[in-house]
Amino acid sequence: YITTATIQPNDSILTVGTLFGKIEKLSIARFTANGAIDTTFNGSGRNHLSVGTHTYGESIALQSDNKIIVCGLAFETQSNFLI
C-alpha cells in the first residue's frame, strides 16, 4: 500500500509504501503526470527493497537537485533500524 507521495518538477508522481507478502518490502514507484506507470524509472516504474523480513516505506522527499530521498523502517524480530 502507498504511505505517501510527492510530485517532481516535471509533474511525475513518486510514491513510497510497503509491498506485503511473505516478506514485507519497501516499495517505491513513479507515475507520469497522467497516472500511468513510468517505465523510465528503474526500467519497470518501480523498485522494491527488503532488509530483513519486515521493511516498510515511510516517507519520500526530493532534494534541491531532484535526487530522491526515501525513509523507511526495517526490523527482524527484535533488531530495529531506519533506512
Side-chain angles (χ1 to χ4, degrees), residues 25-37:
K25 298 178 182 180
L26 182 148
S27 180
I28 182 172
R30 184 166 68 189
F31 300 88
T32 63
N34 67 3
I37 192 80

Side-chain angles (χ1 to χ4, degrees), residues 1 5-7 9 11 13 16 18 20 22 24 28 33 38-39 46 48 57 64-65 71 77 81:
Y1 73 92
T6 192
I7 307 294
D11 292 331
I13 305 159
V16 70
T18 305
F20 288 95
K22 285 184 178 182
E24 287 94 15
I28 182 172
D38 183 354
T39 57
R46 57 190 164 268
H48 308 295
S64 59
D65 61 0
C71 183
T77 61
F81 60 94

Side-chain angles (χ1 to χ4, degrees), residues 49-62:
L49 171 69
S50 177
V51 180
T53 55
H54 307 284
T55 309
Y56 302 98
E58 297 294 326
S59 62
I60 191 166
L62 293 174

